[in-house]
Amino acid sequence: MYAARQLPYAPSPYSYTPNTSLSATINLDEEVKLSTSTAERDLYDSLAEIYSIIVTLDALEKAYIKDSITEAEYTETCNRLLKQYKSNLSDETVSDAFVDLETFKREWDMECPRATERLRIGLPATVEQPSGNQSTSRGGGGAGAAGSLILAATENFITFLDALKLNMVSKDSLHPLLSDVIQSVNKVTDRDFDNRGKIVQWLITLNQMRATQELTEDQARELAFDMEQAYHGFKATLN
């Protein structure tokens, strides 16, 4: 029998020799910390919470579209998520790291179109476009609506207009007041009165501003005019 013939071998010039000086110095049994300070950990926690809010809000919007949740449950949950989102971003450090919604979505490869639209508007869909189920007066205003609700809506209009006259033109001053206006109006009537859409448009404009950002003089003047017209349109529905 012939002996097994050994295959020829030519040493490669690219043969790898491990360099022990480059060996890992990490203890594989030791927990890896993502942050090195309390402030850094708090920042990561806030960004993680914002991520979960966006995902949850997108799922909520889908559930509302499919009628898998009641309007009351949707409105309450959506309002809570929007408040939590704004609360997290009220911290300047978190806001700087977040940059803006589109940047955050790209960084974390997020596809949440319904949540994106809801965050842009800053209002639940039931407030943006009220249904007859929410309105006390299903056919509109007038005698069917409770007098206390009409009074509350009227007071909210006047309070908002007075704030503009006092030169309160920052987002954090106007946005809560204008939100009160649209929500109180929706409790009285679901009719689309003159310039109601302007209220929603201004809410969107304010929602996209930073908390301390202020309207220009021209914007404030235009807002006051639009709200006066909306107030007259609202009162017309009560006749």
Side-chain angles (χ1 to χ4, degrees), residues 41-128:
R41 184 176 67 249
D42 289 344
L43 173 61
Y44 291 150
D45 286 345
S46 296
L47 293 175
E49 187 169 346
I50 291 174
Y51 183 98
S52 66
I53 289 171
I54 296 173
V55 173
T56 304
L57 186 56
D58 200 68
L60 178 68
E61 291 294 313
K62 292 177 182 177
Y64 176 65
I65 292 172
K66 295 178 180 178
D67 283 333
S68 300
I69 186 173
T70 66
E71 288 190 0
E73 291 172 330
Y74 164 80
T75 303
E76 180 184 356
T77 305
C78 188
N79 272 323
R80 183 171 66 251
L81 290 172
L82 291 173
K83 287 178 181 178
Q84 291 171 345
Y85 177 81
K86 293 173 185 175
S87 177
N88 276 284
L89 290 176
S90 64
D91 185 292
E92 187 175 352
T93 303
V94 177
S95 180
D96 290 342
F98 179 78
V99 184
D100 57 50
L101 182 56
E102 291 302 323
T103 301
F104 186 79
K105 285 167 55 184
R106 282 196 302 270
E107 182 177 357
W108 298 104
D109 195 23
M110 301 181 73
E111 290 291 341
C112 300
R114 292 177 178 83
T116 300
E117 181 64 10
R118 190 56 48 212
L119 291 170
R120 183 186 72 84
I121 295 172
L123 294 169
T126 47
V127 176
E128 180 192 3

